[in-house]
């Protein structure tokens, strides 16, 4: 080849390479010029605990749905649907589940999701969850058949497998095996998931902001979204949870277009929001929620059953609901331990209870041998749906004859404190108040679990309740299930595990610039689109 030809060839190649480089730079510049679509939300609480298996706190559950995925989920009709699972079979004798994962499931670090990851995740979740524990009582073993297929071998049939693996709360989130092998009693420190968003740990500022970005390699299911099931198609680039504790400040920011969504606006501000043409209302949970007054049975005086029974007589639901919710359109007096208006709902055994019968309450307090030592009541101050509950409880408890040391703190401090089994002298507690939407039946209701050290905070211990719950997990006939639910309630009155303080409902509000909001038991951020403010 002559020098002239070589020169022309090199020159042409240089022009082509230069042109390609300019085109690449142009594409980068164009991409950089496109603004990110960001949804800014104020959630019901600041995120401090980021292990949704270790805690029952709903803010941690909400975080879990952002970055993790589940094997199954329930749709808007309450039916169980596959999520990470492609196909599954149940043997004729109903003792072997064979499950195969979908193609294309990846962890956020690019590694494929495997059956061994899922087995390890199920085991860790089951060690802490109320339904998981019931399920494991029937599990013989787990077998990883190959990278995508595994089996759950049972000793006998149980409904707990599908109920447990599809729970909207107390959720069986899948984690990499190395993470799932963390002790269930310890919090994880590696936050790699396979869900639709990536947790930006470098931008997480507790008390200020939590940031999630779209996981571009996430493969949603083909079906349309339905409650917690279906396709988790992320249509925004970024979601920011902003910690704004003051409700008026949050609402002002929403009206100004500075934020897009408030998960739990204060009920007294709802009339003002309804008048604004730019605001839309939605409901994360049409069944509502139940307030829960929880005893710590490890510490005196509530290790004594009569001290606990006294509170059934001292309390009434109306005082609590009026003090916190106020508007009767958003609350319901309901003495059932299961949601009123649902198949298991019953007031059997509660007819004379929750009527503020202080005479009867004081008699039981005296019979319990209570010695006048102040009882520690945890009081959450930074969440409007909890802030006024403890003061009402304190007043009613004192009328029943207890001395009350109400200790005030933010909600996340309550969550950490209530997990401790310490005696009172070392920072322990006696009573706390929370809320749940998992009260459809005895198996799913976390606070009806009376499995001693294996249950959640409060640690009630009653073999009779556990026997009834176990019987319920084996029963498929609805009439027999109802009878068992009634029996559980009667025993939970006799051996109190908690006191239900009524049902309440919480609308969510968002700007109309957001579309694609999904009504579900938990707030989800897939399927959202945003246009302007």
């Amino acid at each position: 080849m002559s020098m002239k030809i070589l020169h022309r060839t090199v020159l042409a190649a240089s022009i082509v390479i230069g042109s390609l480089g300019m085109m690449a730079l142009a594409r980068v510049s164009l991409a950089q010029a496109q603004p990110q679509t960001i949804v800014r939300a104020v959630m019901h609480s600041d995120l401090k605990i980021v292990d949704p298996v270790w805690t029952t706190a709903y803010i941690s559950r909400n975080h879990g749905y952002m970055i993790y995925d589940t094997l199954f989920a329930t749709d808007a009709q309450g039916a169980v649907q596959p999520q990470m699972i492609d196909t599954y079979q149940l043997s004729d004798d109903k003792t072997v589940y064979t499950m195969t994962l979908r193609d294309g499931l990846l962890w956020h670090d690019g590694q494929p999701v495997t059956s061994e990851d899922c087995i390890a995740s199920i085991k860790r979740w089951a060690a802490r969850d109320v339904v998981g524990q019931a399920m494991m009582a029937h599990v013989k073993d787990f077998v990883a058949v190959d990278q995508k297929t595994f089996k759950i071998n049972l000793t006998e049939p149980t409904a707990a497998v599908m109920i447990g693996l599809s729970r909207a709360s107390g959720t069986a989130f899948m984690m990499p095996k190395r993470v799932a092998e963390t002790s269930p009693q310890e919090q994880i420190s590696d936050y790699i998931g396979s869900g639709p968003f990536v947790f930006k740990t470098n931008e997480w500022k507790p008390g200020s902001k939590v940031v999630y970005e779209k996981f571009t390699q996430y493969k949603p299911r083909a079906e349309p979204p339905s409650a917690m099931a279906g396709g988790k198609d992320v249509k925004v680039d970024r979601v920011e949870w902003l910690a704004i504790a003051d409700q008026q400040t949050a609402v002002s920011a929403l009206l100004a277009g500075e934020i897009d969504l408030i998960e739990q606006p204060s009920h007294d501000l709802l009339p003002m929001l309804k008048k604004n043409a730019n605001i839309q209302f939605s409901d994360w949970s049409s069944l509502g929620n139940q307030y829960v007054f929880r005893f710590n049975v490890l510490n005196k005086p509530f290790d004594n059953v009569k001290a606990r029974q006294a509170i059934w007589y001292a309390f009434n639901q109306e005082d609590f609901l009026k003090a916190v919710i106020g508007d009767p359109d958003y609350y319901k007096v309901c003495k059932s331990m299961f949601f009123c208006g649902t198949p298991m709902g019953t007031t059997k055994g509660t007819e004379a209870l929750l009527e503020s019968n202080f005479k009867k309450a004081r008699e039981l307090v005296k019979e319990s041998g209570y010695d006048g030592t102040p009882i520690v009541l945890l009081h959450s101050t930074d969440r409007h749906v909890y802030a006024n509950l403890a003061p009402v409880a304190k007043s009613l408890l004192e009328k029943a004859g207890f001395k009350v040391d109400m200790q005030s703190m933010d909600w996340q401090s309550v969550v950490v404190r209530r997990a401790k089994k310490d005696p009172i002298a070392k920072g322990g507690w006696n009573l706390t108040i929370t809320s749940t939407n998992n009260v459809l039946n005895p198996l799913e209701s976390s606070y009806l679990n009376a499995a001693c050290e294996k249950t959640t905070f409060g640690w009630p211990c009653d073999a009779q309740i556990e026997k009834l719950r176990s019987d319920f997990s084996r029963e498929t006939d609805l009439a027999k299930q109802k009878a068992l639910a009634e029996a559980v309630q009667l025993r939970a009155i006799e051996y109190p595990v908690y006191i239900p303080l009524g049902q309440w409902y919480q609308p969510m509000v968002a700007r109309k610039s957001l579309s694609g909001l999904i009504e579900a038991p938990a707030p989800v951020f897939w399927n959202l689109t945003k246009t302007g403010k």
Side-chain angles (χ1 to χ4, degrees):
M1 183 182 293
S2 69
M3 290 299 294
K4 287 184 178 180
I5 294 173
L6 178 63
H7 177 73
R8 286 197 298 271
T9 301
V10 172
L11 180 61
S14 298
I15 292 171
V16 170
I17 292 170
S19 298
L20 290 172
M22 292 295 290
M23 290 171 64
L25 287 172
R27 284 196 296 270
V28 171
S29 298
L30 182 61
Q32 290 175 341
Q34 297 295 325
Q36 282 190 317
T37 303
I38 303 173
V39 172
R40 296 180 174 90
V42 173
M43 306 302 284
H44 70 267
S45 174
D46 183 30
L47 178 70
K48 292 181 180 178
I49 300 173
V50 290
D51 184 346
V53 172
W54 186 84
T55 181
T56 58
Y58 279 172
I59 190 64
S60 302
R61 173 207 62 183
N62 298 350
H63 162 78
Y65 275 112
M66 298 296 283
I67 70 171
Y68 301 112
D69 213 342
T70 60
L71 298 176
F72 295 89
T74 51
D75 64 18
Q77 286 70 48
V80 175
Q81 304 293 350
Q83 186 56 40
M84 295 172 73
I85 294 296
D86 181 22
T87 60
Y88 70 99
Q89 295 83 36
L90 179 60
S91 63
D92 291 341
D93 65 358
K94 299 183 180 180
T95 63
V96 180
Y97 283 91
T98 302
M99 302 186 178
T100 301
L101 296 168
R102 293 194 287 127
D103 291 332
L105 299 180
L106 296 175
W107 299 112
H108 295 158
D109 59 6
Q111 296 299 306
V113 177
T114 70
S115 56
E116 289 191 350
D117 295 322
C118 296
I119 290 172
S121 296
I122 293 171
K123 288 180 178 179
R124 183 171 188 267
W125 159 79
R128 294 194 66 97
D129 180 71
V130 57
V131 183
Q133 291 169 11
M135 181 190 80
M136 290 302 290
H138 306 284
V139 171
K140 179 181 178 182
D141 59 22
F142 298 86
V143 177
V145 177
D146 55 37
Q147 285 284 91
K148 291 175 53 183
T149 303
F150 63 95
K151 292 185 176 183
I152 304 176
N153 295 312
L154 305 174
T155 57
E156 59 183 333
T158 177
V161 174
M162 298 307 290
I163 292 175
L165 296 182
S166 64
R167 294 189 80 197
S169 298
T171 314
F173 291 115
M174 296 298 105
M175 301 178 180
K177 181 182 178 183
R178 68 177 186 277
V179 180
E181 287 179 339
T182 303
S183 166
Q185 308 310 318
E186 299 175 5
Q187 295 187 51
I188 60 173
S189 57
D190 182 341
Y191 312 120
I192 295 294
S194 67
F197 291 92
V198 176
F199 180 32
K200 302 295 289 181
T201 55
N202 61 320
E203 297 187 60
W204 176 36
K205 298 177 181 177
S208 177
K209 182 168 68 174
V210 190
V211 177
Y212 306 93
E213 286 189 351
K214 177 179 179 178
F215 179 36
T216 57
Q217 293 177 280
Y218 181 77
K219 184 179 179 181
R221 295 188 68 88
E223 309 95 277
S226 177
M228 309 311 296
K232 299 179 179 180
D233 189 6
V234 175
K235 301 176 181 179
V236 297
D237 300 305
R238 182 177 169 103
V239 174
E240 297 178 358
W241 292 356
L242 305 181
I244 304 177
D246 182 72
Q247 283 286 304
Q248 186 63 63
T249 302
V251 166
S252 296
L254 181 74
L255 295 176
E258 296 166 358
I259 61 173
D260 304 291
L261 181 153
I262 302 177
E263 182 193 2
Q264 291 189 0
S266 179
H267 289 79
D268 61 351
L269 297 175
L270 294 180
M272 176 181 66
L273 288 165
K274 285 181 178 179
K275 295 177 182 178
N276 192 290
N278 294 316
I279 303 301
Q280 59 179 314
F281 279 61
S282 185
D283 191 354
W284 294 130
S285 177
S286 58
L287 287 173
N289 309 272
Q290 182 189 81
Y291 279 128
V292 170
F293 187 82
R294 185 71 159 176
F295 317 98
N296 183 350
V297 305
L298 301 182
N299 289 328
K300 290 182 179 302
F302 298 108
D303 59 338
N304 185 288
V305 67
K306 290 191 175 181
R308 303 200 301 276
Q309 289 174 351
I311 299 180
W312 272 113
Y313 289 93
F315 282 2
N316 73 87
Q317 293 184 345
E318 192 85 27
D319 283 0
F320 290 95
L321 296 168
K322 283 183 176 179
V324 182
I325 307 303
D327 187 342
D329 286 344
Y330 296 104
Y331 73 74
K332 179 193 294 184
V333 170
C334 171
K335 293 184 181 183
S336 174
M337 303 195 84
F338 311 105
F339 280 135
C340 287
T342 64
M344 305 301 154
T346 175
T347 57
K348 185 75 172 181
T350 64
E351 295 87 351
L353 306 178
L354 295 170
E355 298 290 341
S356 285
N357 182 345
F358 298 117
K359 180 177 182 295
K360 179 64 175 177
R362 285 191 291 268
E363 288 174 0
L364 287 166
V365 170
K366 184 177 181 180
E367 290 174 18
S368 75
Y370 173 62
D371 63 2
T373 301
I375 55 176
V376 174
L377 169 65
L378 303 184
H379 173 213
S380 171
T381 57
D382 63 332
R383 291 193 58 195
H384 70 279
V385 294
Y386 290 152
N388 290 340
L389 293 174
V392 172
K394 181 177 186 294
S395 174
L396 296 176
L397 288 165
E398 288 173 342
K399 290 178 182 178
F402 291 106
K403 293 182 180 178
V404 182
D405 175 12
M406 187 174 74
Q407 298 187 11
S408 303
M409 62 200 75
D410 65 83
W411 173 242
Q412 289 301 311
S413 295
V414 170
V415 170
V416 173
R417 178 87 169 268
R418 74 187 187 185
K420 297 179 178 180
K421 298 178 180 179
D422 299 334
I424 299 299
K426 294 186 178 180
W429 59 280
N430 293 115
L431 303 167
T432 190
I433 307 174
T434 187
S435 179
T436 182
N437 59 15
N438 267 342
V439 288
L440 285 170
N441 61 64
L443 189 60
E444 284 197 273
S445 179
S446 299
Y447 302 112
L448 283 173
N449 184 333
C452 311
E453 295 296 306
K454 293 182 180 179
T455 190
T456 191
F457 62 92
W459 307 282
C461 189
D462 186 68
Q464 189 172 333
I465 289 177
E466 287 307 286
K467 172 65 167 56
L468 290 167
R469 291 180 63 250
S470 180
D471 291 345
F472 185 94
S473 75
R474 296 181 178 91
E475 188 54 68
T476 57
D477 181 80
L478 181 59
K480 292 179 180 178
Q481 286 183 336
K482 289 181 178 180
L484 285 166
E486 186 176 284
V488 169
Q489 177 162 299
L490 290 172
R491 179 57 184 167
I493 293 169
E494 185 179 12
Y495 177 95
V497 291
Y498 79 91
I499 307 294
L501 300 182
Q503 283 177 221
W504 62 282
Y505 304 87
Q506 177 65 68
M508 182 277 301
V509 294
R511 293 190 64 81
K512 289 185 177 178
S513 53
L514 286 187
S515 59
L517 293 165
I518 298 172
E519 290 196 4
V524 298
F525 287 82
W526 52 82
N527 200 54
L528 288 181
T529 58
K530 179 180 175 180
T531 55
K533 287 190 175 183

